[in-house]
Amino acid sequence: MTGVWVLLGVLALGGVAGALLRARNGRIRAAKPSAPTLPGRVSGALAPEGVTLIQISTTFCAPCRHTRAILSALADKTDGLTHVDLDVTETPEVAKALSVLRTPTTLALTPDGREVFRVGGVPRGQELLEALKPHLANA
């Protein structure tokens, strides 16, 4: 009988943990006050104007493909918004320098490299656009 209770407890705990992770997926988080020093690969990808969405992804990441589609479409239809996809499979030091622990992670960066916010997981297009409006010149 004890084994049944342990099994039920583990299943309940797993369900709660899964629900918490699902709730955090795609949520926009404000940037921390101290911005990290950007690796050359990232600073070289920044657009001279507007906001650059840097997507940190890996080769075999299925959610990364979905994120790429969302961000590309958003950048195509929004003035002042650029999307860059960085695959960090071969260069994990980029992810480490940016404190990225999961893929996909999207960073919104200004031309001077200041992080505006970040999104862990697949972003929600409309929420992302709303968060970007104050940072885009022609929003």
Side-chain angles (χ1 to χ4, degrees):
M1 188 67 180
T2 302
V4 171
W5 287 111
V6 170
L7 178 63
L8 290 175
V10 168
L11 288 175
L13 189 60
V16 169
L20 288 173
L21 288 174
R22 187 178 192 108
R24 289 188 57 173
N25 191 36
R27 190 178 62 172
I28 297 172
R29 293 180 295 147
K32 295 178 183 173
S34 61
T37 303
L38 296 178
R41 188 172 173 197
V42 175
S43 60
L46 295 177
E49 294 179 354
V51 176
T52 304
L53 296 176
I54 303 287
Q55 176 186 341
I56 307 297
S57 57
T58 52
T59 304
F60 300 106
C61 169
C64 294
R65 290 190 290 275
H66 190 117
T67 299
R68 186 177 307 115
I70 292 170
L71 297 181
S72 294
L74 198 60
D76 287 344
K77 68 179 183 179
T78 307
D79 291 334
L81 187 62
T82 306
H83 170 239
V84 177
D85 185 8
L86 292 180
D87 187 335
V88 294
T89 304
E90 300 298 324
T91 55
E93 63 274 3
V94 171
K96 184 176 180 181
L98 296 172
S99 301
V100 172
L101 300 175
R102 66 183 281 197
T103 59
T105 293
T106 304
L107 307 173
L109 301 173
T110 60
D112 61 356
R114 184 178 53 86
E115 183 178 327
V116 178
F117 60 81
R118 67 174 55 203
V119 181
V122 179
R124 296 173 189 97
Q126 195 57 38
E127 288 179 20
L128 188 62
L129 190 57
E130 289 298 318
L132 285 168
K133 279 186 180 179
H135 305 285
L136 296 172
N138 300 329

